[in-house]
Amino acid sequence: MEFFFDYGSPFSYLANSQLPGIAARTGASIVYRPMLLGAVLKATGNSSPMAVPAKGRYMSRDLVPWAKRYGVDFQRNPFPFLGNTLRLMRGAVASQ
């Protein structure tokens, strides 16, 4: 299975926590595909939850029950939002 992710996305983190179990149950292999979520949002005329207050509030509330459902310890990052993850994502591509 292909897993498209961006290090800036907490939902990528939650999804990634579930992949080993899915792969073990199904016999699938995981192919990690770094992608720039900001570029996808821009290309689709969408905005980051950090840029839209109502979206940000909903996302913050939505993360907690998903983490609980998946049995993942989840703590909010005490540091400001990563912002542009371009360098991190380029590093992920380079490491492949």
Side-chain angles (χ1 to χ4, degrees), residues 2-95:
E2 290 181 292
F3 176 56
F4 291 84
F5 69 96
D6 186 323
Y7 286 126
S9 169
F11 286 105
S12 286
Y13 167 74
L14 290 177
N16 188 52
S17 74
Q18 302 307 296
L19 292 180
I22 293 169
R25 287 191 305 275
T26 64
S29 59
I30 305 165
V31 178
Y32 289 87
R33 302 278 190 217
M35 49 85 79
L36 293 173
L37 183 56
V40 172
L41 292 173
K42 185 177 180 179
T44 59
N46 211 327
S47 299
S48 164
M50 299 299 109
V52 181
K55 238 175 150 175
R57 285 190 302 273
Y58 181 82
M59 184 184 86
S60 292
R61 286 193 305 263
D62 202 31
L63 283 167
V64 174
W66 279 110
K68 187 175 181 178
R69 177 184 176 135
Y70 292 151
V72 174
D73 289 328
F74 183 79
Q75 295 181 1
R76 297 191 196 304
N77 185 351
F79 303 101
F81 182 67
L82 287 172
N84 190 331
T85 59
L86 182 59
R87 286 186 184 163
L88 287 171
M89 301 312 291
R90 282 181 177 165
V93 170
S95 73

